[in-house]
Amino acid sequence: MTKIFLQILRLFLRRLRPVLNQMRERQQNIHRPKARRYSSRRRRKPSYVPIYADTNSNMPTEVINPDCDSGYSREIDSCPMPPCLSSAQIVSRGLQFDDIEINNLIGSGGFGAVYEGCYGGRRVAVKRINIFNKNKRAAVESFKAELAALRLKHTNIVRTILASAGDNFSDCAIIVMEYAGDLNLQQVINDSRDPLPRERRITYSLDIANALFYTHDNGIAHLDVKPANVIITPDDRCKLADFGCCQTVQDEIDEGHVSPTQRSYLTGTFAYRAPELLRGDVPTTKADIYSYGVTLWQMLTREQPFAGENQHVVIFGVVAYHLRPSFTTTVLNNMDEAWYVDAIMQCWSPKPEQRPTATKLLEKLSSKTLFKW
Ligand SMILES: Nc1ncnc2c1ncn2[C@@H]1O[C@H](COP(=O)(O)OP(=O)(O)OP(=O)(O)O)[C@@H](O)[C@H]1O
């Protein structure tokens, strides 16, 4: 009798096991970001995981690795993928996609979320781009734009370590970056207990201008400059992050024009967007200078640009009537801030050619730091 009972119980448990396993798996997926499965050795790895990383050479953006050229990448011809690393390069540089550990969520943005993680014994930030959001095309384009940051190496720019589109975008795309700091500039601005005196503001302004100078000099327009995309490092310096909207500047570097073939429909946050971008004109590096001006304004006023105002009314005002965030009379009457206010106004001039270049801004800011402040 006992034997029969045990037999039945065994059969029942055998049937139940897959169901229990499935339930456990589902539960784990709720608490854990999906990308973590790459770090689990028990699970099957994607058959081919293309890895992009800085190749220590000039990245020929027009070359598309045939292995990566399927599906969306072929569809988005305006935004070619840089070549993946060859397996030899991956081995020689010790890159291992399997070893990425993804932990706590830091925050989420338009196309995905950023997690704190660990890679090669280093603390990293892992951006997981959600390819399956409502605008898949834009998400894929944003991932490809971020690849441009792989070759940017500058103290004021968040270092991108590697990126992968998973199994040809079939799962999710991830970007592994250095962990730059616990706070971004927007959070500092919002925290009234965190003082933002002039010296600190000028240091930040210089850091961001340095990042823009280097970016523009490397033929890239960031196109989403805003305090939320500036990370504050533990030693209280700035690093520009989030190259998900950036575009390469091909011709006419002096004017900072982006070739019309490179035009994208990816756009930054409306309050920081230059009028020519709102009009749908060809973006230039001067669009970054406009957004930089709004960022400087925010550091000075510690307010949100156009807070609570209707987006369409603001866009119309900015384009048609040169509407800009306002200064209080106290700020305008403060002679100590006159130069800073003037610099902000120059940055958000209606015509791109009237705005200073990052080089000019650096010259001015440095001279003020040395002699006048
Ligand atoms: N390399 C990094 N190190 C530390 N924190 C980071 C890093 N990159 C991004 N973050 C933080 O992760 C959060 C989410 O960043 P993300 O760029 O996805 O969103 P966002 O900039 O707020 O929005 P959007 O992308 O829509 O403009 C932000 O709080 C940002 O400060």
Side-chain angles (χ1 to χ4, degrees), residues 1-11:
M1 191 63 182
T2 332
K3 262 190 180 172
I4 295 171
F5 175 72
L6 281 172
Q7 197 76 27
I8 294 170
L9 192 67
R10 214 170 284 145
L11 267 172

Side-chain angles (χ1 to χ4, degrees), residues 106-107 109-110 114 125 127 158 177-178 180-181 184 224 226 229 231 242:
I106 302 174
V114 177
K127 183 177 248 186
V158 170
M177 302 164 274
E178 66 167 316
N184 62 47
D224 196 14
K226 59 177 180 177
N229 286 336
I231 314 285
D242 197 352

Side-chain angles (χ1 to χ4, degrees), residues 198 201 331-341 372-373:
R198 190 183 299 146
R201 196 159 23 92
V331 170
L332 288 176
N333 291 336
N334 184 347
M335 289 318 285
D336 286 346
E337 303 293 6
W339 175 83
Y340 197 76
V341 170
K372 304 234 169 107
W373 294 105

Side-chain angles (χ1 to χ4, degrees), residues 244-259:
C245 290
C246 81
Q247 292 186 41
T248 48
V249 181
Q250 288 195 326
D251 305 314
E252 302 165 80
I253 302 264
D254 288 345
E255 279 299 302
H257 281 299
V258 174
S259 151

Side-chain angles (χ1 to χ4, degrees), residues 105-116 124-128 142 146 158-159 176-185 187 224 226-232 239 241-245 267-269:
L105 175 74
I106 302 174
S108 43
F111 295 116
V114 177
Y115 298 87
E116 194 235 317
V124 291
V126 183
K127 183 177 248 186
R128 213 175 146 260
S142 170
E146 296 239 23
V158 170
R159 182 91 181 94
V176 182
M177 302 164 274
E178 66 167 316
Y179 184 88
D182 296 337
L183 287 177
N184 62 47
L185 182 53
Q187 290 164 324
D224 196 14
K226 59 177 180 177
N229 286 336
V230 175
I231 314 285
I232 308 299
K239 279 184 191 266
D242 197 352
F243 282 74
C245 290
T267 46
T269 316

Side-chain angles (χ1 to χ4, degrees), residues 135-195:
N135 196 343
K136 192 186 286 183
R137 191 184 162 93
V140 173
E141 198 171 329
S142 170
F143 171 80
K144 291 181 179 181
E146 296 239 23
L147 294 179
L150 280 167
R151 65 185 160 99
L152 300 181
K153 285 180 195 163
H154 190 274
T155 40
N156 300 118
I157 293 177
V158 170
R159 182 91 181 94
T160 303
I161 301 164
L162 65 85
S164 173
D167 215 352
N168 276 324
F169 292 113
S170 62
D171 191 352
C172 70
I174 68 161
I175 291 148
V176 182
M177 302 164 274
E178 66 167 316
Y179 184 88
D182 296 337
L183 287 177
N184 62 47
L185 182 53
Q186 183 63 58
Q187 290 164 324
V188 171
I189 289 169
N190 291 347
D191 185 357
S192 53
R193 290 161 308 167
D194 198 353

